[in-house]
Amino acid sequence: MEQQPIARKHLVWSLITGLAVGAIAGAPLGWMANGKYSDQRLAEFIICQEKNRDKPVAMVESICGSRF
């Protein structure tokens, strides 16, 4: 069986296909990971505020940080 060398246009199309598949598969995964992280950060923020609710607002903000 005779082997043919890989042409440059085949490599370019393989790269484009890989990027398209990666974007389609990666976007939902990134969106879900971001949602999980933001939910976790909000829970930590609320717990910190509850633990320090008897302190002044400025001190709570310096301890807990911002919500975002």
Side-chain angles (χ1 to χ4, degrees), residues 5-8 11 14 18 20 26-28 32 37-38 40 46-47 50-51 53 63-64 67-68:
I6 298 173
R8 186 174 294 201
L11 293 175
S14 293
M32 287 186 288
Y37 171 77
S38 64
Q40 180 182 359
I46 291 172
I47 290 170
E50 283 298 313
K51 286 181 180 178
R53 65 179 156 178
I63 294 170
C64 300
R67 178 179 172 198
F68 301 103

Side-chain angles (χ1 to χ4, degrees), residues 21-51:
V21 169
I24 291 169
L29 292 174
W31 179 67
M32 287 186 288
N34 182 53
K36 183 173 175 68
Y37 171 77
S38 64
D39 289 347
Q40 180 182 359
R41 175 66 186 124
L42 178 60
E44 290 173 357
F45 177 73
I46 291 172
I47 290 170
C48 181
Q49 278 190 327
E50 283 298 313
K51 286 181 180 178

